[in-house]
Amino acid sequence: HTENQTMTTLWTAAGNPSDALATARELTADMILDASGLNWEVEKRQAMYRDNAGEMRAIKGQYAPVRSDNGRAFPATVGSVWEPYQNRELVQFALSLRAHGEVVPSKAGTFGTEQERTMIELRIGRELIVRKGEPRGVVQPFLTLYNAHDGSGSVSAHEVMRTLVCSNGAISHTATGGFKVRHTKSTETRMQAGAELLRHFQAQARGFEQTAQ
């Protein structure tokens, strides 16, 4: 299968304003969900099979994750303890990180063969100066939150430093860490650990800048 990807640059979601960064700082969960096409939910429905007599019967302990907007089931089954972590919950969690520092939504969308995975990318803090002179070397920290609606993965966050490495605009990506949380009813509580991750990431970025001066 060919992987499908639909991404929206949120900085320009409001009609490419002249001050896109300032606009992105004011984005709400509803604006992000509408702009990125993520304004749908997932339901856990009983998995069924047709027996030899043509009767539909339930598969004990197995469920199908189904998009509520179009009724399309993702090609997988999940167990009884799996709970959908909705797109809105992921976006709201991302925006809650604003309380702990400069967090600006930059991209959001779906990917995967059946677009079963969702993500939102966040720009964290300011650009960090890592070299003096021309061309100026800068690093921009990003945090990306991922979710899988087909039971194939955990809710996860990945930290990345994007470094301008030469005058032609080439970008180098350096992964620095992250965390994963299983899809269970306690996911929302456990995702709060991400706030601590963000604080750690910010401290790490400041240390990176100080040692690279």
Side-chain angles (χ1 to χ4, degrees), residues 48-92:
M48 309 290 289
Y49 76 98
R50 189 182 302 277
D51 66 14
N52 290 341
E55 298 291 330
M56 296 300 297
R57 298 185 180 275
I59 303 175
K60 185 177 180 179
Q62 292 296 305
Y63 302 85
V66 178
R67 278 185 59 160
S68 60
D69 61 332
N70 58 20
R72 190 182 75 198
F74 293 111
T77 57
V78 296
S80 58
V81 299
W82 185 91
E83 291 292 333
Y85 193 77
Q86 304 294 354
N87 297 333
R88 177 173 294 276
E89 294 177 283
L90 189 73
V91 171
Q92 287 176 334

Side-chain angles (χ1 to χ4, degrees), residues 4 9 17 22 28 30 32-33 37 61 66 69 74 81 83 88 107 119-120 131 168 170 172 174 179 186 192:
N4 298 314
T9 301
T28 65
D30 285 335
I32 291 172
L33 291 167
V66 178
D69 61 332
F74 293 111
V81 299
E83 291 292 333
R88 177 173 294 276
K107 287 195 303 185
M119 60 82 70
I120 180 169
R131 284 194 305 272
N168 65 7
S172 170
T174 303
F179 73 97
S186 62
Q192 299 309 314

Side-chain angles (χ1 to χ4, degrees), residues 93 143 145 155-158 177-181 190-191 193-195 197:
F93 173 75
L143 182 69
L145 304 178
V155 180
S156 61
H158 298 271
F179 73 97
K180 296 182 178 181
V181 180
R190 295 172 64 189
M191 281 287 281
L197 170 72

Side-chain angles (χ1 to χ4, degrees), residues 69-139:
D69 61 332
N70 58 20
R72 190 182 75 198
F74 293 111
T77 57
V78 296
S80 58
V81 299
W82 185 91
E83 291 292 333
Y85 193 77
Q86 304 294 354
N87 297 333
R88 177 173 294 276
E89 294 177 283
L90 189 73
V91 171
Q92 287 176 334
F93 173 75
L95 295 182
S96 74
L97 298 178
R98 287 170 168 169
H100 306 285
E102 172 78 355
V103 173
V104 181
S106 58
K107 287 195 303 185
T110 62
F111 64 102
T113 55
E114 299 294 332
Q115 295 189 320
E116 71 279 6
R117 296 177 179 270
T118 59
M119 60 82 70
I120 180 169
E121 179 187 79
L122 307 170
R123 171 176 157 160
I124 307 299
R126 61 178 177 80
E127 291 181 339
L128 308 175
I129 308 301
V130 296
R131 284 194 305 272
K132 294 183 178 180
E134 295 296 337
R136 185 181 68 163
V138 296
V139 169

